[in-house]
Amino acid sequence: MAPMARPKICLLFAGGTIGMVKNPRTGALQPATEAAEIIRDIPGIQKYVQLDFKMVVNMDSSNMNPGHWTQIAKSINKYYDKYDGFVVAQGTDTMAYTGSALSFALQNLSKPVIFTGSLIPLTEIGSDGRNNLIYACLTAALDIAEVCIVFANKIIRANRAKKHHESFVAVFHSPNFPFLGELGRPTKLNEWRKRRRKRTLKFNANFDPKISVLKLFPGFDPIILEKVIERGVHGIIIEGFGPGNVPFLENSIIPQIEKATKMEIPVIIANQMEQGITNLKAYEAGLSAAEAGAISSKDMTTEATVAKLMWALAKSKNRSEVKHIMEKNLAGELED
Ligand code: ASP
């Protein structure tokens, strides 16, 4: 693809360390009041791209909720035709959730949406934010058409990413899918990335946050699951053991899975492995959950599973429709 003449890039600011300053009293990082000024100060970038800045929110990403995902997705949808690419700056703590959510809200992209942020505020010497922002803006002009995270030298499919380590080189990793590209001299884009071509954007930025995520541990009391069901959640994700195994003898949670299924509440089994793929057919302990109605998260990260379940539930409360959505590949988040 021929390089574009000074591509138009829209930078949406949604907070995180990159726009924070140190509170002189406590020493803790908190959002700066003048984040817009901080971001405008990327030296020389306008020589390569026409960069516009839009403020969405400025907060620690731990405070973000699905309402903010919708806000960011709506901004991108609103300005979609005006720009060649989008950059979203936000905190790293929940970036993999927001990135996953946007990959479902904005399907069939014909241009990139690049998330980035930093470990050290832009205002501090030695900040990784400056380079991350510059490379995110440059990547937003490349031949990519999906939601990605650009951090250090990696281009990662956002719905495959997990926050990994607070180090300059490996903040995010992609346990079940190879990197889309590597920034360097020269920058290398891998063939499995989605490329720019004319597609009609499928926009749906609704999320139903009324879900619960439970992590199993040896001795898990089934009452916990019972209580979650009684609370009236619309969907449940259970991180099982190994490839998604659950207790089915003493402390069995099978009756609760059956109960939720009867009540049309989808129960998704995910896993706790570092590089995990859920497989409910490997052991009796997984099969019994599947037979009780549990749905497999397959090779999705828990972050992508959360965002996708919320997105699916906003579309339908019918359990088998949600199952169908969860098991289908919508935006490269799983292999079906
Ligand atoms: N706590 C910060 C946030 O997620 C961390 C970061 O920006 O890296 O907002």
Side-chain angles (χ1 to χ4, degrees):
M1 189 179 214
M4 290 174 258
R6 270 232 304 158
K8 292 182 79 172
I9 307 298
C10 179
L11 168 58
L12 298 159
F13 188 78
T17 303
I18 198 161
M20 289 189 187
V21 286
K22 214 173 246 170
N23 180 318
R25 197 175 52 80
T26 62
L29 292 171
Q30 61 186 42
T33 24
E34 268 313 321
E37 293 309 317
I38 296 169
I39 300 293
R40 279 198 200 105
D41 180 36
I42 320 175
I45 190 72
Q46 298 285 1
K47 233 169 87 185
Y48 300 92
V49 296
Q50 288 181 59
L51 190 65
D52 284 347
F53 176 84
K54 297 195 196 303
M55 186 74 186
V56 185
V57 284
N58 188 12
M59 55 169 64
D60 191 293
S61 76
S62 326
N63 289 317
M64 288 177 83
N65 60 48
H68 298 106
W69 305 343
T70 305
Q71 225 180 315
I72 299 169
K74 277 188 173 166
S75 296
I76 295 174
N77 185 47
K78 183 170 168 195
Y79 300 113
Y80 192 69
D81 294 330
K82 253 187 93 181
Y83 293 96
D84 299 304
F86 293 84
V87 173
V88 183
Q90 80 145 76
T92 56
D93 290 348
T94 66
M95 190 181 282
Y97 289 94
T98 316
S100 297
L102 260 66
S103 76
F104 304 123
L106 302 160
Q107 287 177 44
N108 238 10
L109 283 167
S110 46
K111 51 191 82 175
V113 174
I114 311 286
F115 278 78
T116 199
S118 75
L119 292 179
I120 298 189
L122 265 182
T123 46
E124 283 185 26
I125 189 145
S127 171
D128 52 330
R130 195 168 298 272
N131 260 5
N132 283 342
L133 260 188
I134 291 169
Y135 278 105
C137 293
L138 297 177
T139 307
L142 297 179
D143 184 12
I144 302 179
E146 52 181 306
V147 186
C148 311
I149 291 180
V150 164
F151 231 93
N153 66 334
K154 306 281 188 307
I155 307 172
I156 300 173
R157 180 171 292 165
N159 57 32
R160 294 290 196 157
K162 281 187 93 68
K163 187 168 178 182
H164 175 58
H165 189 201
E166 291 199 322
S167 78
F168 284 158
V169 287
V171 180
F172 288 94
H173 74 167
S174 180
N176 288 334
F177 196 76
F179 298 130
L180 301 183
E182 261 176 72
L183 299 161
R185 205 171 58 181
T187 283
K188 186 171 167 269
L189 294 181
N190 293 325
E191 79 210 34
W192 47 85
R193 76 197 187 276
K194 294 190 181 131
R195 289 162 187 260
R196 287 178 188 263
R197 73 176 158 80
K198 220 172 163 36
R199 300 182 182 93
T200 311
L201 181 71
K202 287 203 251 166
F203 175 72
N204 176 356
N206 298 322
F207 298 92
D208 176 356
K210 226 173 161 206
I211 69 160
S212 189
V213 183
L214 297 171
K215 181 172 182 158
L216 292 186
F217 52 87
F220 180 92
D221 187 342
I223 292 289
I224 299 170
L225 182 51
E226 191 76 42
K227 291 285 171 203
V228 165
I229 297 168
E230 280 169 20
R231 280 284 293 165
V233 293
H234 298 156
I236 301 169
I237 298 168
I238 299 172
E239 282 192 350
F241 303 119
N245 292 327
V246 309
F248 63 104
L249 299 175
E250 211 182 309
N251 286 338
S252 171
I253 63 164
I254 302 301
Q256 284 73 27
I257 296 177
E258 274 168 353
K259 180 175 172 178
T261 304
K262 272 205 200 95
M263 291 167 72
E264 285 289 302
I265 303 168
V267 177
I268 322 297
I269 305 282
N271 65 80
Q272 302 176 19
M273 289 190 284
E274 286 275 305
Q275 205 166 346
I277 297 179
T278 304
N279 175 6
L280 301 182
K281 292 186 185 132
Y283 293 88
E284 202 182 351
L287 198 58
S288 45
E291 283 169 358
I295 301 161
S296 168
S297 70
K298 301 187 177 181
D299 57 339
M300 281 190 286
T301 58
T302 297
E303 290 85 338
T305 310
V306 165
K308 192 175 180 181
L309 182 58
M310 288 185 184
W311 185 85
L313 286 167
K315 261 186 108 130
S316 169
K317 297 284 188 280
N318 178 292
R319 202 197 72 92
S320 44
E321 265 171 44
V322 172
K323 176 175 158 63
H324 178 73
I325 296 172
M326 292 308 290
E327 288 174 343
K328 203 166 109 181
N329 172 19
L330 301 180
E333 75 283 7
L334 60 78
E335 207 164 317
D336 50 9

